[in-house]
């Protein structure tokens, strides 16, 4: 008997990642595309963890079903940790990432402190259970110029010093081994091994 889990997202890349992870564990993965009557979910939290829980819990409350959601983003220390939880809608939802990346580099100028991090919170919600959240980060720097075509979002301007390359220059395996989402997912996998879902 396959267990159903809903990814509280319409992001094709995210849904694909969760399917690759959860299908082999015997889960039938659905997404918000399978629930067209689900109202828009307002992300009113002030942290990645809160927003991940809000999205997953909304699905669980409405359909009495297990749900998983992630909330992730980029914190740039020189920008007071912006864009943070607003990473996707920073500078407007309709601004493409090429433009967002150009503006980040322009604002950074030649300042020396280029530290930043990607953060990811993954929440699992189930009927009659408290939400469970897995959180992790990866420390990086803002690159001096964009490079690479793998990955998405801010990846072309995120420099990872140990590999001496941007996130967008990494292979998928390299990125998964160190990324914020990869690390949070491994915590979730470990929990699922020991939890009777």
């Amino acid at each position: 008997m396959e267990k159903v889990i809903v990814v509280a997202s319409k992001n094709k890349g995210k849904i694909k990642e969760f399917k690759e992870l959860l299908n082999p564990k015997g889960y039938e993965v659905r997404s918000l595309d399978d629930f067209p009557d689900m109202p828009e979910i307002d992300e009113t939290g002030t942290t990645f963890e809160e927003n991940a829980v809000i999205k997953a819990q909304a699905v669980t409350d409405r359909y009495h079903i297990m749900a998983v959601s992630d909330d992730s983003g980029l914190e740039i220390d020189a920008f007071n940790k912006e864009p943070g939880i607003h990473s996707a809608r920073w500078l407007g939802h309709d601004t493409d990432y090429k433009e967002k990346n150009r503006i980040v580099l322009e604002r950074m100028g030649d300042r020396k402190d280029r530290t930043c991090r990607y953060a990811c919170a993954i929440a699992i919600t189930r009927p009659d259970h408290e939400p469970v959240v897995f959180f992790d980060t990866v420390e990086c720097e803002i690159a001096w110029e964009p490079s690479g075509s793998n990955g998405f979002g801010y990846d072309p301007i995120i420099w990872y010093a140990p590999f001496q390359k941007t996130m967008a220059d990494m292979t998928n395996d390299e990125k998964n081994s160190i990324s914020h989402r990869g690390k949070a997912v491994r915590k979730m996998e470990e929990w699922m091994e020991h939890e009777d879902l």
Side-chain angles (χ1 to χ4, degrees):
M1 166 71 184
E2 276 204 330
K3 295 167 280 196
V4 174
I5 187 165
V6 179
V7 179
S9 176
K10 290 183 179 180
N11 179 313
K12 299 277 184 276
K14 223 172 253 193
I15 294 158
K16 182 171 173 283
E17 278 182 9
F18 277 116
K19 276 188 173 166
E20 286 168 0
L21 172 73
L22 295 168
N23 283 154
K25 294 188 180 338
Y27 288 93
E28 180 194 331
V29 177
R30 296 190 188 158
S31 73
L32 291 184
D33 288 331
D34 298 308
F35 298 90
D37 62 330
M38 180 74 200
E40 192 71 29
I41 302 165
D42 283 332
E43 294 177 39
T44 52
T46 56
T47 64
F48 295 112
E49 293 97 326
E50 285 175 10
N51 279 332
V53 168
I54 286 167
K55 289 185 279 191
Q57 194 67 54
V59 173
T60 294
D61 290 348
R62 188 174 173 95
Y63 301 106
H64 306 288
I65 200 167
M66 182 162 58
V68 61
S69 170
D70 88 331
D71 197 57
S72 51
L74 174 66
E75 296 180 335
I76 302 172
D77 292 327
F79 298 175
N80 202 17
K81 297 209 160 93
E82 283 290 308
I85 58 169
H86 305 295
S87 291
R89 46 194 188 275
W90 190 57
L91 304 173
H93 259 305
D94 300 332
T95 308
D96 72 18
Y97 277 98
K98 207 167 188 171
E99 181 64 7
K100 289 181 185 183
N101 290 340
R102 188 189 67 72
I103 291 169
V104 169
L105 292 179
E106 198 175 89
R107 281 203 195 163
M108 283 302 287
D110 55 8
R111 66 175 88 201
K112 296 277 184 284
D113 174 17
R114 305 180 81 81
T115 54
C116 63
R117 74 206 46 78
Y118 269 138
C120 176
I122 298 175
I124 291 184
T125 52
R126 297 167 288 166
D128 308 317
H129 285 76
E130 286 295 308
V132 184
V133 183
F134 310 92
F135 180 79
D136 221 315
T137 60
V138 56
E139 294 294 325
C140 307
E141 295 164 49
I142 299 295
W144 292 92
E145 57 187 19
S147 177
S149 55
N150 204 7
F152 56 91
Y154 299 99
D155 286 355
I157 61 165
I158 304 301
W159 179 260
Y160 185 66
F163 289 178
Q164 287 294 294
K165 55 174 83 170
T166 68
M167 290 279 191
D169 274 324
M170 292 182 194
T171 65
N172 289 345
D173 285 346
E174 282 176 326
K175 188 176 170 187
N176 288 337
S177 73
I178 57 97
S179 81
H180 52 312
R181 187 172 288 116
K183 294 197 291 196
V185 160
R186 282 190 287 283
K187 286 183 177 175
M188 178 180 87
E189 285 184 295
E190 200 172 302
W191 175 80
M192 287 177 119
E193 300 293 327
H194 301 101
E195 190 73 13
D196 183 23
L197 301 176

